[in-house]
């Protein structure tokens, strides 16, 4: 059993990475939940050592060979918006299967992971706390304010426009009858 890993002080968007030390043919069995006689059996959840188990929607098991061309570090930074510090090379050198547990899948009462074999803790990464600064736009099209649209027409204005149209129509209609009759 590894050392306890603190969950409670994690920012909203964090991820814990665990290496899964199992043969390829056992990964599918390990990562899927089994419901048996109203009992929940999830080997991966049990190996994490946390109760209740994390929400399945925020747990990923990845085959790092499938991400080799893109890079696992790119997956974490570009795909998930996490700050990996200077660990890009270390992350891209990992092989086999990796488990990602995102903090959104953990309940408030959960305070510590107690991972056991076949899981071994790799690292925890967080979403950056500050947003990146952007340079000011210097093109002429970026200067000034955008033109404001016209406000929506009120019901009274629409009613007045309809009444004006009807009066003009009636005036033309009466003038036409006077001209024909005269």
């Amino acid at each position: 059993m590894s050392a306890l890993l603190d969950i409670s002080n994690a920012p909203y968007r964090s991820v814990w990475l665990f290496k899964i030390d199992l043969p390829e043919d056992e990964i599918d069995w390990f990562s899927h939940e089994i419901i048996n006689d109203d009992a929940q059996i999830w080997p991966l959840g049990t190996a994490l050592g946390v109760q209740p188990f994390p929400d399945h929607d925020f747990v990923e098991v990845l085959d790092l060979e499938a991400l080799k061309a893109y890079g696992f570090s790119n997956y974490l930074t570009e795909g998930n918006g996490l700050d990996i510090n200077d660990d890009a090379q270390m992350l891209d050198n990992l092989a086999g299967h990796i488990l990602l547990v995102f903090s959104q899948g953990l309940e408030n009462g959960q305070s510590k992971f107690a991972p056991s074999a076949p899981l071994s803790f790799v690292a925890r990464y967080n979403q950056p706390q500050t947003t990146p600064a952007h340079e000011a736009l210097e093109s002429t099209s970026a200067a000034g304010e955008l033109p404001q649209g016209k406000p929506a027409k009120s019901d009274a204005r629409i009613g007045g426009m309809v009444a004006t149209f009807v009066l003009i129509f009636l005036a033309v209609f009466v003038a036409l009858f006077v001209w024909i009759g005269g």
Side-chain angles (χ1 to χ4, degrees), residues 6-78:
D6 195 14
I7 296 171
S8 59
N9 68 353
Y12 172 72
R13 183 99 165 102
S14 296
V15 66
W16 287 265
L17 306 178
F18 298 91
K19 179 85 172 99
I20 304 173
D21 297 317
L22 283 175
E24 177 78 29
D25 59 339
E26 293 182 28
I27 294 293
D28 194 43
W29 166 84
F30 178 72
S31 62
H32 285 86
E33 181 179 22
I34 302 164
I35 303 295
N36 187 6
D37 298 329
D38 298 325
Q40 182 182 17
I41 301 169
W42 190 27
L44 184 150
T46 303
L48 278 171
V50 66
Q51 283 292 330
F53 294 149
D55 183 345
H56 296 295
D57 292 339
F58 297 100
V59 174
E60 295 181 25
V61 174
L62 298 175
D63 180 1
L64 294 179
E65 188 62 34
L67 286 174
K68 203 65 146 176
Y70 184 62
F72 184 47
S73 62
N74 285 337
Y75 177 78
L76 293 174
T77 56
E78 295 174 11

Side-chain angles (χ1 to χ4, degrees), residues 101-141:
V101 180
F102 290 90
S103 56
Q104 298 95 313
L106 301 170
E107 294 185 9
N108 292 339
Q110 297 168 321
S111 62
K112 303 215 182 292
F113 284 118
S116 60
L119 298 179
S120 56
F121 179 68
V122 175
R124 180 183 101 188
Y125 298 107
N126 305 317
Q127 185 175 18
Q129 298 297 318
T130 59
T131 55
H134 296 284
E135 294 179 23
L137 298 176
E138 296 181 16
S139 73
T140 56
S141 63

Side-chain angles (χ1 to χ4, degrees), residues 135-177:
E135 294 179 23
L137 298 176
E138 296 181 16
S139 73
T140 56
S141 63
E145 293 183 18
L146 293 174
Q148 301 300 311
K150 294 181 181 179
K153 296 178 182 172
S154 68
D155 291 341
R157 183 173 178 198
I158 293 172
M161 292 171 53
V162 170
T164 302
F165 177 74
V166 170
L167 287 174
I168 293 172
F169 176 74
L170 287 174
V172 170
F173 189 66
V174 168
L176 181 63
F177 271 112

